[in-house]
Each structure stands twice: as structure tokens, then as C-alpha cells.
Amino acid sequence: MSGRAMESPDGSPGLTLISYEGKPYRFDPGALCLELLTTGGPGAFARHEVLHAPADLAAWAARSRLPDGLEPTVSEEELAEARAFRDALFLLTADRAHGRPLRRDHLDVINAAAARPPLVARIAPDGTRAWAPGATAAQLLSTVARDAIDLFTGPYADRIRECGAHDCHLLFVDTSRPGRRRWCAMEHCGNREKVRTHRARARKSASAPSAPSAPSGPADPAALADPVGPSGPAQPG
């Protein structure tokens, strides 16, 4: 897991994250509910917490794959509820990714949030899509919870995964046609794994015993009696 999230520069789904080295990389978890998991988590993942103030939740909504223009009101109490919701969703998603049974207490948190009224969209006078005024954090969490229910009960539920890097715990759903996604981002953990593999092979090659040198002395008469010509022996097909 890496550092803070930034707004996507081109508006495409997903987030731009900042690595511990300060390098930006693109991470698309594949679903709105999984984007919330980049804001922190329970236990050891609390060190990644970014939802410190009510404005932080509204800022996350603006960065998410939700359409632009959402400005929910968020109270301190709702912020605490959002963090508890996120932590339950984080653990639920990790269990699903690793094939563990889903815990009832985590499911109860998601279902309770989904039971509330969700965000409401409307058609603006100019014909564009807009959000109904008065959006709240509770509506935002309901919308995220409903997205999680669709994901966990839908055709891609078996493709919920954790990044394959040993030191990365970002969670995503693989919506690619081949279904072979392993990394949070190829440009981040995928490339790091390539470098590690290359270095490991180089070390193994350097530590391997060298081939014995050819013995010195007169040539083998048998070899001289059976020349192979200037082009050498034929290579096996």
C-alpha cells in the first residue's frame, strides 16, 4: 500500500496514488467501493489514514469515479461512521480475495449502510446530469455500499484480488477479458517485481560454478580423424 491519492488528471476511472518514493502511479481498483479502501484501513493500515476531517471524505468523493459535482455535507459523526464502514468493507474484501468466509458483522455494516437512501441524480436544465441538492455522507455511503453488494454478488466476485507484491495490500477487481491481472499497477508493483526477478537471476548466475576449462595438451587423435568442416556440427532442430 502506498501513500496519498491524487485527483485523476484525465478524469478516467481510478486514482493517481503516490508511492513511498514520491512517484505517482495509476491505480484502478475497478469499482467505486474499492476506491474507498485507498483512504486507510483497520489495524496496521491505520497509518495510511487520510479521512481526518469531514472535508476529506468530500474530497475523496470528488476524486472517485462518481460523476463530478457532488458536494455532500459531512459531520464529525458521519466521518466516524464512514471510517467504520470502510474498515468493515476492507476486511470483507480481503476475506473475499483470499477465499475466507465472510464475517456476519462485516456484512451487517454494509447491509445497514445500503438500506439507507442513496445519492440522487437529476437532469439539469441544460440537459446534463447533476446531483440533487442536499447530498449527505449517509447517502454517499449507501451508494458505495450498494456498489459493494453488486460487486460481491455479481459475475466478477471471484476476481476480487489483492496485489501480488509481497509488500502491497491494495485490493482490486480484475475486469479484464483474460482475467490474469496480478498487480495493483504494472507501472508500480509489476515493474518492481520484474526488477526483483532480474536481480535474483543475476545473483544466481553470478554464484553458479563456472564450467571446467578444456584440458591442455595434444589434440585428441580421434577428433582430428573426424573433421566437421568450417561450419561446425549441425545444430539439432
Side-chain angles (χ1 to χ4, degrees), residues 19-148:
S19 72
Y20 292 124
E21 295 79 20
K23 298 179 181 179
Y25 65 96
R26 191 83 182 132
F27 171 56
D28 182 7
L32 171 66
C33 61
L34 302 185
E35 288 185 333
L36 183 60
L37 305 187
T38 65
T39 65
F45 300 104
R47 67 181 185 274
H48 303 294
E49 185 64 67
V50 299
L51 301 181
H52 302 291
D56 295 329
L57 182 59
W60 169 81
R63 290 193 304 268
S64 75
R65 66 213 304 129
L66 287 168
D68 293 339
L70 182 63
E71 297 179 353
T73 59
V74 185
S75 67
E76 289 287 351
E77 182 179 355
E78 288 173 323
L79 177 65
E81 291 179 0
R83 287 195 294 257
F85 170 86
R86 180 209 56 209
D87 290 354
L89 179 59
F90 188 107
L91 295 171
L92 192 71
T93 306
D95 285 342
R96 189 66 182 85
H98 292 282
R100 297 187 292 259
L102 304 184
R103 288 177 46 177
R104 173 59 68 87
D105 55 337
H106 298 156
L107 293 171
D108 287 345
V109 173
I110 307 306
N111 290 333
R116 298 177 178 179
L119 294 169
V120 179
R122 65 174 183 168
I123 302 175
D126 61 358
T128 60
R129 188 185 192 281
W131 294 107
T136 66
Q139 289 178 301
L140 173 61
L141 293 184
S142 176
T143 299
V144 175
R146 293 175 185 218
D147 182 73

Side-chain angles (χ1 to χ4, degrees), residues 100-235:
R100 297 187 292 259
L102 304 184
R103 288 177 46 177
R104 173 59 68 87
D105 55 337
H106 298 156
L107 293 171
D108 287 345
V109 173
I110 307 306
N111 290 333
R116 298 177 178 179
L119 294 169
V120 179
R122 65 174 183 168
I123 302 175
D126 61 358
T128 60
R129 188 185 192 281
W131 294 107
T136 66
Q139 289 178 301
L140 173 61
L141 293 184
S142 176
T143 299
V144 175
R146 293 175 185 218
D147 182 73
I149 291 173
D150 288 342
L151 174 60
F152 277 70
T153 62
Y156 291 104
D158 290 335
R159 290 191 179 188
I160 297 174
R161 296 171 187 161
E162 185 179 80
C163 180
H166 74 282
D167 56 351
C168 180
H169 301 281
L170 286 171
L171 295 154
F172 61 87
V173 55
D174 181 5
T175 58
S176 68
R177 180 172 295 181
R180 293 192 294 267
R181 180 178 172 184
R182 294 181 59 196
W183 316 110
C184 60
M186 190 62 209
E187 64 183 294
H188 182 53
C189 286
N191 284 344
R192 289 195 303 150
E193 184 63 22
K194 280 186 175 181
V195 171
R196 279 194 292 264
T197 300
H198 175 75
R199 288 175 177 171
R201 288 176 178 171
R203 286 193 298 267
K204 184 177 180 180
S205 177
S207 62
S210 57
S213 57
S216 58
D220 183 355
L224 294 176
D226 186 22
V228 295
S231 61
Q235 297 297 315

